[in-house]
Amino acid sequence: MTKKFIAQVPGFNGLSEEDLGKIEAISVLKGFKKGETVFVEGEEGNGFYVVVTGRVKIFKVSPDGKEAILHICRTGDHFGQVAVYAGKTFPAGAEALVDSDLLFFPRQAFVHLIGSEPSVALNMLSVLSMRLRELTAQVESLALKEVPGRLASYLLYLSEKQEGAERIALGSSKSQLASMLGTTPETLSRILSDFSLRGFIRNSRGEVLLLNRLGLENLAEQGRFTD
């Protein structure tokens, strides 16, 4: 099961059976209960993870205790790899949002592997580049877009992650989504209702049906309502 799963993970897909076997050989399957800490900010980056099942939030906590969710990782997503490659500590914390199974790749074993297998190293560079683009888009959205524009961008991002689906699973609570978008749950509820009234979406428990993709794309590009 593990090799079959690894072959479908971004960064590992397209590798030879031999390379997949080497990756599988150093991986460790770990289970985490809902609410269990995967690692804390400042902890030594001794390895990185790939989500097999479940969801994991990546977050930071301000000195006054306010939590900001940076990303929610789902099946196939990597996290923690930057600290591993740099040989430094994790810059944020990670916690299982639901019972989750994760593949753990120990730092020393993986660094040795990519040092001897250029194809693996090149594939992992593509994963890091994709994550950098996502983070850049997130920073741009928070800095330049109003909350409706941020929400439109995020819904389109989720659709892309779910193979262009029109009916998308949010995979996070309203408070978690609000934290990622830099707003409050109350404001998010109001904007979701507004999106429904405008015919952009149909919102139901845990999922959203995109009714007007073009309208969402225009809003995401403009960053705000212009009417």
Side-chain angles (χ1 to χ4, degrees):
M1 172 268 180
T2 305
K3 185 188 287 188
K4 183 178 179 181
F5 171 78
I6 290 173
Q8 299 172 356
V9 172
F12 298 149
N13 52 339
L15 293 175
S16 68
E17 284 292 317
E18 181 180 2
D19 284 341
L20 291 172
K22 292 177 180 178
I23 293 170
E24 180 185 28
I26 65 171
S27 67
V28 180
L29 185 63
K30 295 187 174 186
F32 292 84
K33 295 294 184 182
K34 178 181 178 180
E36 187 175 355
T37 297
V38 181
F39 54 75
V40 297
E41 180 178 352
E43 185 178 324
E44 179 186 358
N46 62 347
F48 75 95
Y49 298 81
V50 174
V51 180
V52 180
T53 62
R55 298 191 306 276
V56 174
K57 69 175 179 181
I58 310 301
F59 67 98
K60 291 181 75 71
V61 179
S62 68
D64 63 359
K66 183 179 180 181
E67 179 183 280
I69 298 177
L70 306 178
H71 190 64
I72 292 181
C73 298
R74 298 169 171 80
T75 298
D77 286 341
H78 303 233
F79 64 95
Q81 65 268 50
V82 174
V84 170
Y85 299 146
K88 297 184 178 181
T89 59
F90 292 114
E95 179 185 302
L97 290 174
V98 296
D99 291 353
S100 303
D101 288 325
L102 312 176
L103 275 182
F104 174 68
F105 296 89
R107 178 180 185 274
Q108 289 187 340
F110 195 79
V111 169
H112 176 75
L113 176 62
I114 62 176
S116 60
E117 300 294 340
S119 57
V120 178
L122 287 172
N123 275 30
M124 292 308 295
L125 278 175
S126 70
V127 171
L128 288 175
S129 297
M130 179 174 62
R131 184 71 188 115
L132 179 59
R133 287 197 299 271
E134 291 175 356
L135 286 172
T136 301
Q138 184 179 15
V139 170
E140 178 187 16
S141 182
L142 289 171
L144 302 178
K145 297 178 181 180
E146 295 179 357
V147 179
R150 296 176 210 165
L151 178 57
S153 296
Y154 187 70
L155 293 176
L156 292 169
Y157 163 75
L158 284 183
S159 176
E160 182 181 345
K161 289 280 286 185
Q162 297 174 36
E163 301 180 344
E166 298 299 315
R167 187 180 297 276
I168 55 176
L170 292 177
S172 55
S173 69
K174 192 171 294 181
S175 61
Q176 291 161 358
L177 180 54
S179 177
M180 281 190 290
L181 297 178
T183 188
T184 64
E186 294 76 17
T187 298
L188 178 61
S189 293
R190 179 175 54 79
I191 294 172
L192 283 168
S193 296
D194 189 28
F195 276 22
S196 295
L197 289 172
R198 291 172 182 264
F200 285 174
I201 65 170
R202 183 179 300 141
N203 187 26
S204 58
R205 292 180 63 87
E207 64 178 23
V208 169
L209 176 63
L210 305 187
L211 300 175
N212 184 353
R213 180 180 290 271
L214 181 59
L216 290 170
E217 290 173 347
N218 289 335
L219 176 56
E221 183 177 352
Q222 295 293 327
R224 59 182 58 84
F225 286 122
T226 56
D227 57 4

